[in-house]
């Protein structure tokens, strides 16, 4: 699972899906920090752990259904012809 820096993380409030999963102290820090939606970059800064470590821990939590990660995928860029028409229109003003 890959998480982008501006992907938004939020705790679900659910119980772990596996009876064998026991969240460690770092897992609990992440859960308490994302009780409200927070971008991954802010979460990493707030809990003061390296980004790679946070991504691995988030993978654990997401697998167990304890957090939801909303991807901030980039939208498709507008057609270049449309941009040209807008630029031409602005220049004619």
């Amino acid at each position: 699972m890959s998480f982008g820096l501006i992907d938004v993380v939020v705790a679900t409030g659910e119980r772990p899906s596996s009876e064998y999963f026991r969240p460690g102290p770092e897992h609990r820090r992440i859960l308490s920090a994302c009780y409200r939606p927070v971008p991954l970059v802010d979460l990493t800064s707030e809990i003061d752990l390296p980004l790679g470590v946070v991504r691995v821990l988030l993978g654990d939590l997401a697998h167990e259904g304890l957090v939801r990660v909303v991807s901030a995928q980039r939208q498709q860029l507008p057609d270049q012809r449309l941009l040209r028409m807008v630029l031409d229109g602005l220049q004619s003003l």
Side-chain angles (χ1 to χ4, degrees):
M1 210 175 239
S2 135
F3 304 108
L5 288 176
I6 59 174
D7 289 353
V8 177
V9 181
V10 64
T12 62
E14 300 291 324
R15 292 185 163 282
S17 61
S18 166
E19 63 185 65
Y20 302 108
F21 179 75
R22 299 286 183 256
E26 291 84 7
H27 290 113
R28 289 191 293 273
R29 282 173 57 194
I30 290 174
L31 289 171
S32 66
C34 64
Y35 64 93
R36 56 171 171 59
V38 60
L40 175 58
V41 68
D42 293 345
L43 174 66
T44 301
S45 173
E46 188 174 324
I47 63 173
D48 196 29
L49 287 173
L51 177 61
V53 171
V54 174
R55 283 180 167 154
V56 169
L57 295 170
L58 277 177
D60 296 342
L61 294 171
H63 179 74
E64 293 298 322
L66 300 175
V67 296
R68 190 174 73 234
V69 181
V70 179
S71 178
Q73 291 181 348
R74 297 175 188 198
Q75 296 180 355
Q76 187 176 6
L77 295 175
D79 184 11
Q80 202 169 21
R81 289 177 297 156
L82 174 63
L83 293 175
R84 174 56 58 196
M85 288 171 42
V86 170
L87 183 60
D88 290 343
L90 289 172
Q91 288 175 342
S92 69
L93 293 175

